[in-house]
PDB file of all heavy atoms in Angstrom:
ATOM      1  N   GLN A1372     -49.690 -26.163  62.322  1.00 84.00           N
ATOM      2  CA  GLN A1372     -50.739 -27.025  62.871  1.00 84.00           C
ATOM      3  C   GLN A1372     -50.823 -28.292  62.022  1.00 84.00           C
ATOM      4  O   GLN A1372     -50.897 -28.228  60.796  1.00 84.00           O
ATOM      5  CB  GLN A1372     -52.093 -26.305  62.836  1.00 84.00           C
ATOM      6  CG  GLN A1372     -53.263 -27.120  63.371  1.00 84.00           C
ATOM      7  CD  GLN A1372     -53.331 -27.107  64.892  1.00 84.00           C
ATOM      8  OE1 GLN A1372     -53.176 -26.056  65.509  1.00 84.00           O
ATOM      9  NE2 GLN A1372     -53.555 -28.263  65.500  1.00 84.00           N
ATOM     10  N   ASP A1373     -50.804 -29.457  62.698  1.00 79.00           N
ATOM     11  CA  ASP A1373     -51.056 -30.708  61.986  1.00 79.00           C
ATOM     12  C   ASP A1373     -51.949 -31.583  62.844  1.00 79.00           C
ATOM     13  O   ASP A1373     -52.521 -31.131  63.844  1.00 79.00           O
ATOM     14  CB  ASP A1373     -49.751 -31.414  61.597  1.00 79.00           C
ATOM     15  CG  ASP A1373     -48.967 -31.932  62.810  1.00 79.00           C
ATOM     16  OD1 ASP A1373     -49.468 -31.795  63.953  1.00 79.00           O
ATOM     17  OD2 ASP A1373     -47.873 -32.461  62.618  1.00 79.00           O
ATOM     18  N   SER A1374     -52.080 -32.854  62.470  1.00 77.00           N
ATOM     19  CA  SER A1374     -53.007 -33.746  63.177  1.00 77.00           C
ATOM     20  C   SER A1374     -52.576 -34.025  64.610  1.00 77.00           C
ATOM     21  O   SER A1374     -53.385 -34.449  65.440  1.00 77.00           O
ATOM     22  CB  SER A1374     -53.137 -35.071  62.415  1.00 77.00           C
ATOM     23  OG  SER A1374     -51.866 -35.694  62.289  1.00 77.00           O
ATOM     24  N   THR A1375     -51.289 -33.790  64.937  1.00 76.00           N
ATOM     25  CA  THR A1375     -50.794 -34.067  66.283  1.00 76.00           C
ATOM     26  C   THR A1375     -50.871 -32.867  67.208  1.00 76.00           C
ATOM     27  O   THR A1375     -50.671 -32.999  68.404  1.00 76.00           O
ATOM     28  CB  THR A1375     -49.332 -34.555  66.233  1.00 76.00           C
ATOM     29  OG1 THR A1375     -48.506 -33.498  65.707  1.00 76.00           O
ATOM     30  CG2 THR A1375     -49.196 -35.772  65.327  1.00 76.00           C
ATOM     31  N   GLY A1376     -51.144 -31.683  66.664  1.00 80.00           N
ATOM     32  CA  GLY A1376     -51.238 -30.502  67.520  1.00 80.00           C
ATOM     33  C   GLY A1376     -50.607 -29.279  66.881  1.00 80.00           C
ATOM     34  O   GLY A1376     -50.417 -29.210  65.662  1.00 80.00           O
ATOM     35  N   TYR A1377     -50.251 -28.334  67.748  1.00 85.00           N
ATOM     36  CA  TYR A1377     -49.748 -27.028  67.307  1.00 85.00           C
ATOM     37  C   TYR A1377     -48.343 -26.802  67.854  1.00 85.00           C
ATOM     38  O   TYR A1377     -48.024 -27.170  68.990  1.00 85.00           O
ATOM     39  CB  TYR A1377     -50.675 -25.918  67.809  1.00 85.00           C
ATOM     40  CG  TYR A1377     -50.209 -24.526  67.488  1.00 85.00           C
ATOM     41  CD1 TYR A1377     -50.516 -23.936  66.267  1.00 85.00           C
ATOM     42  CD2 TYR A1377     -49.463 -23.792  68.404  1.00 85.00           C
ATOM     43  CE1 TYR A1377     -50.092 -22.649  65.953  1.00 85.00           C
ATOM     44  CE2 TYR A1377     -49.028 -22.503  68.112  1.00 85.00           C
ATOM     45  CZ  TYR A1377     -49.357 -21.942  66.890  1.00 85.00           C
ATOM     46  OH  TYR A1377     -48.923 -20.668  66.597  1.00 85.00           O
ATOM     47  N   CYS A1378     -47.500 -26.193  67.036  1.00 87.00           N
ATOM     48  CA  CYS A1378     -46.184 -25.779  67.499  1.00 87.00           C
ATOM     49  C   CYS A1378     -45.796 -24.522  66.737  1.00 87.00           C
ATOM     50  O   CYS A1378     -46.516 -24.074  65.839  1.00 87.00           O
ATOM     51  CB  CYS A1378     -45.132 -26.876  67.298  1.00 87.00           C
ATOM     52  SG  CYS A1378     -44.718 -27.167  65.570  1.00 87.00           S
ATOM     53  N   GLU A1379     -44.666 -23.945  67.109  1.00 88.00           N
ATOM     54  CA  GLU A1379     -44.132 -22.801  66.389  1.00 88.00           C
ATOM     55  C   GLU A1379     -42.828 -23.197  65.707  1.00 88.00           C
ATOM     56  O   GLU A1379     -42.166 -24.158  66.119  1.00 88.00           O
ATOM     57  CB  GLU A1379     -43.901 -21.618  67.337  1.00 88.00           C
ATOM     58  CG  GLU A1379     -45.193 -20.994  67.818  1.00 88.00           C
ATOM     59  CD  GLU A1379     -44.968 -19.709  68.624  1.00 88.00           C
ATOM     60  OE1 GLU A1379     -43.810 -19.479  69.067  1.00 88.00           O
ATOM     61  OE2 GLU A1379     -45.923 -18.946  68.810  1.00 88.00           O
ATOM     62  N   VAL A1380     -42.479 -22.460  64.675  1.00 91.00           N
ATOM     63  CA  VAL A1380     -41.250 -22.709  63.928  1.00 91.00           C
ATOM     64  C   VAL A1380     -40.397 -21.445  63.977  1.00 91.00           C
ATOM     65  O   VAL A1380     -40.880 -20.350  63.671  1.00 91.00           O
ATOM     66  CB  VAL A1380     -41.543 -23.080  62.458  1.00 91.00           C
ATOM     67  CG1 VAL A1380     -40.242 -23.305  61.691  1.00 91.00           C
ATOM     68  CG2 VAL A1380     -42.436 -24.311  62.387  1.00 91.00           C
ATOM     69  N   ASP A1381     -39.151 -21.595  64.377  1.00 90.00           N
ATOM     70  CA  ASP A1381     -38.190 -20.494  64.324  1.00 90.00           C
ATOM     71  C   ASP A1381     -37.362 -20.673  63.058  1.00 90.00           C
ATOM     72  O   ASP A1381     -36.513 -21.561  62.991  1.00 90.00           O
ATOM     73  CB  ASP A1381     -37.284 -20.524  65.557  1.00 90.00           C
ATOM     74  CG  ASP A1381     -36.320 -19.344  65.602  1.00 90.00           C
ATOM     75  OD1 ASP A1381     -36.214 -18.621  64.589  1.00 90.00           O
ATOM     76  OD2 ASP A1381     -35.663 -19.153  66.646  1.00 90.00           O
ATOM     77  N   PRO A1382     -37.590 -19.841  62.021  1.00 92.00           N
ATOM     78  CA  PRO A1382     -36.944 -20.081  60.733  1.00 92.00           C
ATOM     79  C   PRO A1382     -35.476 -19.681  60.656  1.00 92.00           C
ATOM     80  O   PRO A1382     -34.834 -19.894  59.626  1.00 92.00           O
ATOM     81  CB  PRO A1382     -37.788 -19.227  59.773  1.00 92.00           C
ATOM     82  CG  PRO A1382     -38.243 -18.084  60.614  1.00 92.00           C
ATOM     83  CD  PRO A1382     -38.469 -18.661  61.993  1.00 92.00           C
ATOM     84  N   ASN A1383     -34.943 -19.102  61.711  1.00 89.00           N
ATOM     85  CA  ASN A1383     -33.548 -18.660  61.679  1.00 89.00           C
ATOM     86  C   ASN A1383     -32.615 -19.833  61.420  1.00 89.00           C
ATOM     87  O   ASN A1383     -32.732 -20.887  62.053  1.00 89.00           O
ATOM     88  CB  ASN A1383     -33.174 -17.987  63.004  1.00 89.00           C
ATOM     89  CG  ASN A1383     -33.815 -16.622  63.140  1.00 89.00           C
ATOM     90  OD1 ASN A1383     -33.618 -15.751  62.311  1.00 89.00           O
ATOM     91  ND2 ASN A1383     -34.618 -16.442  64.177  1.00 89.00           N
ATOM     92  N   HIS A1384     -31.705 -19.659  60.490  1.00 90.00           N
ATOM     93  CA  HIS A1384     -30.684 -20.653  60.109  1.00 90.00           C
ATOM     94  C   HIS A1384     -31.257 -21.846  59.353  1.00 90.00           C
ATOM     95  O   HIS A1384     -30.571 -22.856  59.193  1.00 90.00           O
ATOM     96  CB  HIS A1384     -29.920 -21.154  61.345  1.00 90.00           C
ATOM     97  CG  HIS A1384     -29.390 -20.059  62.222  1.00 90.00           C
ATOM     98  ND1 HIS A1384     -28.417 -19.161  61.792  1.00 90.00           N
ATOM     99  CD2 HIS A1384     -29.703 -19.697  63.493  1.00 90.00           C
ATOM    100  CE1 HIS A1384     -28.151 -18.301  62.768  1.00 90.00           C
ATOM    101  NE2 HIS A1384     -28.913 -18.592  63.795  1.00 90.00           N
ATOM    102  N   ALA A1385     -32.492 -21.749  58.896  1.00 92.00           N
ATOM    103  CA  ALA A1385     -33.082 -22.856  58.128  1.00 92.00           C
ATOM    104  C   ALA A1385     -32.768 -22.701  56.647  1.00 92.00           C
ATOM    105  O   ALA A1385     -32.607 -21.588  56.138  1.00 92.00           O
ATOM    106  CB  ALA A1385     -34.590 -22.901  58.327  1.00 92.00           C
ATOM    107  N   GLU A1386     -32.688 -23.835  55.949  1.00 90.00           N
ATOM    108  CA  GLU A1386     -32.697 -23.813  54.491  1.00 90.00           C
ATOM    109  C   GLU A1386     -34.158 -23.798  54.073  1.00 90.00           C
ATOM    110  O   GLU A1386     -34.900 -24.741  54.377  1.00 90.00           O
ATOM    111  CB  GLU A1386     -31.991 -25.041  53.916  1.00 90.00           C
ATOM    112  CG  GLU A1386     -32.027 -25.089  52.396  1.00 90.00           C
ATOM    113  CD  GLU A1386     -31.421 -26.350  51.820  1.00 90.00           C
ATOM    114  OE1 GLU A1386     -30.848 -27.141  52.599  1.00 90.00           O
ATOM    115  OE2 GLU A1386     -31.537 -26.546  50.594  1.00 90.00           O
ATOM    116  N   VAL A1387     -34.573 -22.744  53.418  1.00 93.00           N
ATOM    117  CA  VAL A1387     -35.985 -22.580  53.059  1.00 93.00           C
ATOM    118  C   VAL A1387     -36.151 -22.747  51.550  1.00 93.00           C
ATOM    119  O   VAL A1387     -35.455 -22.107  50.762  1.00 93.00           O
ATOM    120  CB  VAL A1387     -36.527 -21.209  53.497  1.00 93.00           C
ATOM    121  CG1 VAL A1387     -38.009 -21.092  53.145  1.00 93.00           C
ATOM    122  CG2 VAL A1387     -36.319 -21.006  55.003  1.00 93.00           C
ATOM    123  N   ILE A1388     -37.081 -23.624  51.179  1.00 91.00           N
ATOM    124  CA  ILE A1388     -37.407 -23.842  49.776  1.00 91.00           C
ATOM    125  C   ILE A1388     -38.827 -23.331  49.570  1.00 91.00           C
ATOM    126  O   ILE A1388     -39.795 -23.955  50.013  1.00 91.00           O
ATOM    127  CB  ILE A1388     -37.297 -25.327  49.394  1.00 91.00           C
ATOM    128  CG1 ILE A1388     -35.875 -25.826  49.671  1.00 91.00           C
ATOM    129  CG2 ILE A1388     -37.661 -25.530  47.921  1.00 91.00           C
ATOM    130  CD1 ILE A1388     -35.701 -27.310  49.453  1.00 91.00           C
ATOM    131  N   ALA A1389     -38.933 -22.182  48.929  1.00 92.00           N
ATOM    132  CA  ALA A1389     -40.242 -21.564  48.729  1.00 92.00           C
ATOM    133  C   ALA A1389     -40.879 -22.090  47.446  1.00 92.00           C
ATOM    134  O   ALA A1389     -40.203 -22.329  46.449  1.00 92.00           O
ATOM    135  CB  ALA A1389     -40.094 -20.046  48.659  1.00 92.00           C
ATOM    136  N   SER A1390     -42.182 -22.272  47.496  1.00 87.00           N
ATOM    137  CA  SER A1390     -42.910 -22.730  46.308  1.00 87.00           C
ATOM    138  C   SER A1390     -43.403 -21.562  45.467  1.00 87.00           C
ATOM    139  O   SER A1390     -43.904 -21.758  44.356  1.00 87.00           O
ATOM    140  CB  SER A1390     -44.104 -23.589  46.735  1.00 87.00           C
ATOM    141  OG  SER A1390     -44.967 -22.854  47.584  1.00 87.00           O
ATOM    142  N   ASP A1391     -43.277 -20.355  45.981  1.00 92.00           N
ATOM    143  CA  ASP A1391     -43.834 -19.182  45.323  1.00 92.00           C
ATOM    144  C   ASP A1391     -42.733 -18.140  45.123  1.00 92.00           C
ATOM    145  O   ASP A1391     -42.242 -17.552  46.081  1.00 92.00           O
ATOM    146  CB  ASP A1391     -44.961 -18.601  46.189  1.00 92.00           C
ATOM    147  CG  ASP A1391     -45.752 -17.508  45.489  1.00 92.00           C
ATOM    148  OD1 ASP A1391     -45.193 -16.852  44.600  1.00 92.00           O
ATOM    149  OD2 ASP A1391     -46.922 -17.305  45.845  1.00 92.00           O
ATOM    150  N   ARG A1392     -42.321 -17.945  43.869  1.00 94.00           N
ATOM    151  CA  ARG A1392     -41.330 -16.913  43.556  1.00 94.00           C
ATOM    152  C   ARG A1392     -41.912 -15.954  42.535  1.00 94.00           C
ATOM    153  O   ARG A1392     -42.561 -16.366  41.578  1.00 94.00           O
ATOM    154  CB  ARG A1392     -40.044 -17.521  43.016  1.00 94.00           C
ATOM    155  CG  ARG A1392     -39.080 -16.497  42.425  1.00 94.00           C
ATOM    156  CD  ARG A1392     -37.694 -17.025  42.167  1.00 94.00           C
ATOM    157  NE  ARG A1392     -36.957 -17.197  43.420  1.00 94.00           N
ATOM    158  CZ  ARG A1392     -35.658 -17.483  43.477  1.00 94.00           C
ATOM    159  NH1 ARG A1392     -34.966 -17.620  42.350  1.00 94.00           N
ATOM    160  NH2 ARG A1392     -35.061 -17.625  44.643  1.00 94.00           N
ATOM    161  N   TYR A1393     -41.657 -14.663  42.743  1.00 95.00           N
ATOM    162  CA  TYR A1393     -42.157 -13.634  41.834  1.00 95.00           C
ATOM    163  C   TYR A1393     -41.003 -12.694  41.485  1.00 95.00           C
ATOM    164  O   TYR A1393     -40.239 -12.274  42.359  1.00 95.00           O
ATOM    165  CB  TYR A1393     -43.284 -12.847  42.494  1.00 95.00           C
ATOM    166  CG  TYR A1393     -43.872 -11.756  41.636  1.00 95.00           C
ATOM    167  CD1 TYR A1393     -44.742 -12.056  40.593  1.00 95.00           C
ATOM    168  CD2 TYR A1393     -43.541 -10.423  41.865  1.00 95.00           C
ATOM    169  CE1 TYR A1393     -45.285 -11.049  39.807  1.00 95.00           C
ATOM    170  CE2 TYR A1393     -44.081  -9.401  41.088  1.00 95.00           C
ATOM    171  CZ  TYR A1393     -44.952  -9.732  40.057  1.00 95.00           C
ATOM    172  OH  TYR A1393     -45.480  -8.727  39.273  1.00 95.00           O
ATOM    173  N   THR A1394     -40.858 -12.400  40.206  1.00 96.00           N
ATOM    174  CA  THR A1394     -39.806 -11.497  39.726  1.00 96.00           C
ATOM    175  C   THR A1394     -40.429 -10.335  38.972  1.00 96.00           C
ATOM    176  O   THR A1394     -41.340 -10.527  38.160  1.00 96.00           O
ATOM    177  CB  THR A1394     -38.824 -12.241  38.802  1.00 96.00           C
ATOM    178  OG1 THR A1394     -38.250 -13.346  39.500  1.00 96.00           O
ATOM    179  CG2 THR A1394     -37.713 -11.309  38.348  1.00 96.00           C
ATOM    180  N   GLN A1395     -39.936  -9.146  39.260  1.00 95.00           N
ATOM    181  CA  GLN A1395     -40.436  -7.950  38.579  1.00 95.00           C
ATOM    182  C   GLN A1395     -39.246  -7.075  38.181  1.00 95.00           C
ATOM    183  O   GLN A1395     -38.342  -6.836  38.979  1.00 95.00           O
ATOM    184  CB  GLN A1395     -41.362  -7.170  39.509  1.00 95.00           C
ATOM    185  CG  GLN A1395     -41.870  -5.854  38.933  1.00 95.00           C
ATOM    186  CD  GLN A1395     -42.781  -5.121  39.919  1.00 95.00           C
ATOM    187  OE1 GLN A1395     -43.668  -5.721  40.516  1.00 95.00           O
ATOM    188  NE2 GLN A1395     -42.537  -3.832  40.097  1.00 95.00           N
ATOM    189  N   VAL A1396     -39.252  -6.639  36.931  1.00 95.00           N
ATOM    190  CA  VAL A1396     -38.204  -5.746  36.443  1.00 95.00           C
ATOM    191  C   VAL A1396     -38.839  -4.400  36.128  1.00 95.00           C
ATOM    192  O   VAL A1396     -39.849  -4.321  35.415  1.00 95.00           O
ATOM    193  CB  VAL A1396     -37.523  -6.326  35.190  1.00 95.00           C
ATOM    194  CG1 VAL A1396     -36.455  -5.354  34.681  1.00 95.00           C
ATOM    195  CG2 VAL A1396     -36.900  -7.684  35.499  1.00 95.00           C
ATOM    196  N   SER A1397     -38.243  -3.358  36.675  1.00 91.00           N
ATOM    197  CA  SER A1397     -38.764  -2.011  36.456  1.00 91.00           C
ATOM    198  C   SER A1397     -37.594  -1.063  36.252  1.00 91.00           C
ATOM    199  O   SER A1397     -36.780  -0.862  37.168  1.00 91.00           O
ATOM    200  CB  SER A1397     -39.622  -1.573  37.646  1.00 91.00           C
ATOM    201  OG  SER A1397     -40.077  -0.249  37.491  1.00 91.00           O
ATOM    202  N   HIS A1398     -37.506  -0.518  35.049  1.00 89.00           N
ATOM    203  CA  HIS A1398     -36.418   0.402  34.694  1.00 89.00           C
ATOM    204  C   HIS A1398     -35.073  -0.301  34.922  1.00 89.00           C
ATOM    205  O   HIS A1398     -34.790  -1.310  34.311  1.00 89.00           O
ATOM    206  CB  HIS A1398     -36.540   1.701  35.486  1.00 89.00           C
ATOM    207  CG  HIS A1398     -37.858   2.400  35.259  1.00 89.00           C
ATOM    208  ND1 HIS A1398     -38.227   2.944  34.049  1.00 89.00           N
ATOM    209  CD2 HIS A1398     -38.898   2.621  36.110  1.00 89.00           C
ATOM    210  CE1 HIS A1398     -39.422   3.466  34.140  1.00 89.00           C
ATOM    211  NE2 HIS A1398     -39.870   3.293  35.382  1.00 89.00           N
ATOM    212  N   GLN A1399     -34.261   0.229  35.804  1.00 93.00           N
ATOM    213  CA  GLN A1399     -32.928  -0.340  36.039  1.00 93.00           C
ATOM    214  C   GLN A1399     -32.882  -1.219  37.290  1.00 93.00           C
ATOM    215  O   GLN A1399     -31.790  -1.481  37.806  1.00 93.00           O
ATOM    216  CB  GLN A1399     -31.899   0.795  36.162  1.00 93.00           C
ATOM    217  CG  GLN A1399     -31.748   1.626  34.909  1.00 93.00           C
ATOM    218  CD  GLN A1399     -31.199   0.818  33.739  1.00 93.00           C
ATOM    219  OE1 GLN A1399     -30.182   0.148  33.870  1.00 93.00           O
ATOM    220  NE2 GLN A1399     -31.873   0.891  32.595  1.00 93.00           N
ATOM    221  N   HIS A1400     -34.029  -1.675  37.746  1.00 96.00           N
ATOM    222  CA  HIS A1400     -34.076  -2.491  38.960  1.00 96.00           C
ATOM    223  C   HIS A1400     -34.823  -3.795  38.710  1.00 96.00           C
ATOM    224  O   HIS A1400     -35.761  -3.847  37.913  1.00 96.00           O
ATOM    225  CB  HIS A1400     -34.749  -1.724  40.106  1.00 96.00           C
ATOM    226  CG  HIS A1400     -33.897  -0.642  40.683  1.00 96.00           C
ATOM    227  ND1 HIS A1400     -33.805   0.618  40.112  1.00 96.00           N
ATOM    228  CD2 HIS A1400     -33.085  -0.629  41.773  1.00 96.00           C
ATOM    229  CE1 HIS A1400     -32.983   1.365  40.840  1.00 96.00           C
ATOM    230  NE2 HIS A1400     -32.529   0.629  41.853  1.00 96.00           N
ATOM    231  N   LYS A1401     -34.369  -4.829  39.409  1.00 96.00           N
ATOM    232  CA  LYS A1401     -35.034  -6.135  39.374  1.00 96.00           C
ATOM    233  C   LYS A1401     -35.353  -6.546  40.806  1.00 96.00           C
ATOM    234  O   LYS A1401     -34.508  -6.448  41.698  1.00 96.00           O
ATOM    235  CB  LYS A1401     -34.151  -7.185  38.703  1.00 96.00           C
ATOM    236  CG  LYS A1401     -34.785  -8.572  38.657  1.00 96.00           C
ATOM    237  CD  LYS A1401     -34.047  -9.512  37.708  1.00 96.00           C
ATOM    238  CE  LYS A1401     -32.656  -9.811  38.153  1.00 96.00           C
ATOM    239  NZ  LYS A1401     -31.995 -10.834  37.285  1.00 96.00           N
ATOM    240  N   TYR A1402     -36.576  -7.000  41.016  1.00 97.00           N
ATOM    241  CA  TYR A1402     -37.047  -7.394  42.342  1.00 97.00           C
ATOM    242  C   TYR A1402     -37.427  -8.874  42.301  1.00 97.00           C
ATOM    243  O   TYR A1402     -38.163  -9.312  41.407  1.00 97.00           O
ATOM    244  CB  TYR A1402     -38.258  -6.566  42.770  1.00 97.00           C
ATOM    245  CG  TYR A1402     -38.056  -5.074  42.650  1.00 97.00           C
ATOM    246  CD1 TYR A1402     -38.366  -4.396  41.465  1.00 97.00           C
ATOM    247  CD2 TYR A1402     -37.526  -4.336  43.711  1.00 97.00           C
ATOM    248  CE1 TYR A1402     -38.174  -3.032  41.353  1.00 97.00           C
ATOM    249  CE2 TYR A1402     -37.339  -2.972  43.602  1.00 97.00           C
ATOM    250  CZ  TYR A1402     -37.661  -2.318  42.424  1.00 97.00           C
ATOM    251  OH  TYR A1402     -37.462  -0.956  42.307  1.00 97.00           O
ATOM    252  N   ILE A1403     -36.939  -9.621  43.286  1.00 97.00           N
ATOM    253  CA  ILE A1403     -37.265 -11.047  43.387  1.00 97.00           C
ATOM    254  C   ILE A1403     -37.789 -11.313  44.797  1.00 97.00           C
ATOM    255  O   ILE A1403     -37.175 -10.884  45.781  1.00 97.00           O
ATOM    256  CB  ILE A1403     -36.048 -11.937  43.105  1.00 97.00           C
ATOM    257  CG1 ILE A1403     -35.478 -11.640  41.711  1.00 97.00           C
ATOM    258  CG2 ILE A1403     -36.426 -13.416  43.214  1.00 97.00           C
ATOM    259  CD1 ILE A1403     -34.197 -12.389  41.408  1.00 97.00           C
ATOM    260  N   GLU A1404     -38.892 -12.039  44.847  1.00 97.00           N
ATOM    261  CA  GLU A1404     -39.522 -12.319  46.143  1.00 97.00           C
ATOM    262  C   GLU A1404     -39.864 -13.804  46.247  1.00 97.00           C
ATOM    263  O   GLU A1404     -40.527 -14.353  45.373  1.00 97.00           O
ATOM    264  CB  GLU A1404     -40.790 -11.479  46.273  1.00 97.00           C
ATOM    265  CG  GLU A1404     -41.560 -11.677  47.569  1.00 97.00           C
ATOM    266  CD  GLU A1404     -42.790 -10.793  47.602  1.00 97.00           C
ATOM    267  OE1 GLU A1404     -43.816 -11.183  47.008  1.00 97.00           O
ATOM    268  OE2 GLU A1404     -42.718  -9.705  48.211  1.00 97.00           O
TER     269      GLU A1404
END
């Protein structure tokens, strides 16, 4: 939603740059989100 109205976004095949990354290491595993 912006000042011009509403639309939808299909993220398939997009280059996505996320502002929020979280990393967790537990035992022998590492998780990144």
Side-chain angles (χ1 to χ4, degrees):
Q1372 179 80 45
D1373 67 3
S1374 59
T1375 64
Y1377 176 86
C1378 70
E1379 289 187 344
V1380 179
D1381 184 349
N1383 287 302
H1384 310 295
E1386 178 184 353
V1387 182
I1388 301 174
S1390 58
D1391 189 334
R1392 169 167 286 189
Y1393 180 76
T1394 302
Q1395 176 180 314
V1396 179
S1397 177
H1398 302 294
Q1399 297 296 309
H1400 287 83
K1401 179 167 65 174
Y1402 309 89
I1403 302 175
E1404 179 180 82

